[in-house]
Amino acid sequence: MQLIHCPWCGLREEVEFHYGGQADVPYPEDPAELTDQEWAEYVFYRDNPKGPFAERWCHSTGCRRWFNAVRDTRTYQFLATYQVGHPVPEAALEVGRS
């Protein structure tokens, strides 16, 4: 069982969390002006890198808060977790590159 660090609750088992997609995807400024193609790109198209990737997670059976995490997509290892709105910890990205 993998442990994930919730920024509010600390280490908890992976089964307590739900994945929420790529982190820091901005909502369109003027959604009424988007074409169908632009909406499709906003809703369905996300990055899929090999290595460190910033994601959204929810501690669904704990505090029920959303947070961001940097996870290495090659190993599934969580490199860092941080509160939404805070910058990605640069150290986590560096660890994943080595």
Side-chain angles (χ1 to χ4, degrees), residues 40-70:
E41 289 175 12
Y42 169 72
V43 173
F44 299 111
Y45 293 89
R46 295 291 180 255
D47 295 338
N48 188 19
K50 186 177 183 180
F53 186 52
E55 305 169 327
R56 295 188 68 207
W57 285 80
C58 181
H59 190 182
S60 52
T61 63
C63 63
R64 296 194 284 178
R65 290 181 170 184
W66 285 93
F67 62 92
N68 291 339
V70 176

Side-chain angles (χ1 to χ4, degrees), residues 82-94:
Y82 57 101
Q83 294 179 14
V84 173
H86 287 77
V88 177
E90 192 62 35
L93 298 176
E94 293 302 320

Side-chain angles (χ1 to χ4, degrees), residues 12-81:
R12 298 290 191 268
E13 292 184 358
E14 176 182 19
V15 295
E16 293 187 17
F17 298 88
H18 283 93
Y19 176 75
Q22 182 176 347
D24 303 318
V25 176
Y27 190 75
E29 288 185 31
D30 193 358
E33 296 297 317
L34 294 182
T35 66
D36 288 344
Q37 179 63 34
E38 290 169 329
W39 263 117
E41 289 175 12
Y42 169 72
V43 173
F44 299 111
Y45 293 89
R46 295 291 180 255
D47 295 338
N48 188 19
K50 186 177 183 180
F53 186 52
E55 305 169 327
R56 295 188 68 207
W57 285 80
C58 181
H59 190 182
S60 52
T61 63
C63 63
R64 296 194 284 178
R65 290 181 170 184
W66 285 93
F67 62 92
N68 291 339
V70 176
R71 183 177 63 86
D72 190 323
T73 59
R74 296 169 295 195
T75 64
Y76 202 74
Q77 177 186 5
F78 282 78
L79 304 173
T81 59

